[in-house]
Amino acid sequence: TYLRDRLQNVTQIEIQVAQARSGGIPRILEHLIMSDRGLLDPSEIDKPIELDNLIEKRIEEALNQAVGRGDKKAETNAFLAGLSLLPPPVPLDEYARVYGMDLSAIESFAADLAPLLERTNYGLIFRDEPTETLIRDKFGSDIDALLRVAKNLLNQQDISVYAARALPGLLYKLNDGKHLFELAFDERFPESITSTVGKRNIKYARLKAAVLHAAKKQDYNQLVHLLVELSSIS
């Protein structure tokens, strides 16, 4: 309703300014319409807005709000680092458990990042590809934070289906051959998965990630062990 009212009051000159500054990109148009009308003054027409700059500003504002509530900057950076590499959608309760944070803190931070993030019935997803790319480039290289995520996911292999599904891919992205090899032969499975097929699918995902890593590194010793194990469940 608020957006509709704003659009009804936009003048033809303001529309021209909005088009010139946004290049027709919907995200920027929305920002211009919903923000202070000074952004649509005729004097602003030659000041284009870059989408990456707008997204980065939104991220920085959310981080500052989280720190203002008492969250540590290292934790908020780690939140974004993990979110950039874990398979979507990311369940909020699972994510809170991974970081050892209160669910309410995760929910508050996710709310601060709206509309960059969207909360679905199944968890958090990025609103669009530019946001995902920017967060991955800016925070996805925080190796210490990602190692912490991987360690916590490893500790939850017997209780969390999401952790069991997410860990192989994360270890592969981290180039962690040691833990990939160990995970491939790990007999822990989430207690909620009782069927043979369900356990086999998780086992296969672990082995596949380890095989890909060993092949990429030309580690033939590990590759032989992994292929023998893989053949036993194929």
Side-chain angles (χ1 to χ4, degrees), residues 101-171:
M101 297 173 65
D102 290 336
L103 179 58
S104 60
I106 294 291
E107 289 176 332
S108 295
F109 191 58
D112 289 338
L113 278 170
L116 303 179
L117 298 178
E118 290 186 3
R119 183 174 178 179
T120 70
N121 292 334
Y122 303 101
L124 290 176
I125 60 173
F126 289 106
R127 179 180 177 182
D128 52 32
E129 189 274 335
T131 301
E132 183 177 2
T133 299
L134 184 61
I135 289 181
R136 183 183 297 116
D137 292 343
K138 188 175 179 64
F139 298 95
S141 58
D142 189 342
I143 300 301
D144 289 340
L146 294 172
L147 288 174
R148 176 185 170 192
V149 173
K151 180 181 179 181
N152 290 340
L153 289 175
L154 181 62
N155 291 336
Q156 295 172 29
Q157 291 300 293
D158 54 352
I159 61 172
S160 169
V161 174
Y162 182 79
R165 290 175 175 169
L167 183 57
L170 179 58
L171 290 176

Side-chain angles (χ1 to χ4, degrees), residues 9-161:
N9 295 321
V10 174
T11 67
Q12 188 63 38
I13 294 296
E14 288 175 330
I15 291 174
Q16 293 175 6
V17 174
Q19 182 66 28
R21 298 197 68 188
S22 69
I25 297 175
R27 174 72 67 82
I28 301 177
L29 281 170
E30 179 185 28
H31 165 70
L32 290 170
I33 296 298
M34 299 297 289
S35 300
D36 184 271
R37 294 296 277 273
L39 296 177
L40 296 177
D41 286 344
S43 60
E44 303 293 307
I45 195 168
D46 294 325
K47 300 176 182 178
I49 297 175
E50 297 293 333
L51 181 58
D52 282 356
N53 292 339
L54 177 60
I55 294 173
E56 194 161 358
K57 182 180 178 181
R58 290 275 183 88
I59 294 171
E60 192 63 33
E61 289 173 351
L63 289 172
N64 290 336
Q65 289 175 4
V67 172
R69 287 196 310 269
D71 295 334
K72 296 179 180 179
K73 190 170 184 178
E75 289 181 338
T76 56
N77 287 355
F79 173 94
L80 291 173
L83 202 62
S84 69
L85 290 182
L86 291 176
V90 181
L92 286 180
D93 55 342
E94 297 276 9
Y95 210 46
R97 191 180 300 121
V98 166
Y99 281 104
M101 297 173 65
D102 290 336
L103 179 58
S104 60
I106 294 291
E107 289 176 332
S108 295
F109 191 58
D112 289 338
L113 278 170
L116 303 179
L117 298 178
E118 290 186 3
R119 183 174 178 179
T120 70
N121 292 334
Y122 303 101
L124 290 176
I125 60 173
F126 289 106
R127 179 180 177 182
D128 52 32
E129 189 274 335
T131 301
E132 183 177 2
T133 299
L134 184 61
I135 289 181
R136 183 183 297 116
D137 292 343
K138 188 175 179 64
F139 298 95
S141 58
D142 189 342
I143 300 301
D144 289 340
L146 294 172
L147 288 174
R148 176 185 170 192
V149 173
K151 180 181 179 181
N152 290 340
L153 289 175
L154 181 62
N155 291 336
Q156 295 172 29
Q157 291 300 293
D158 54 352
I159 61 172
S160 169
V161 174

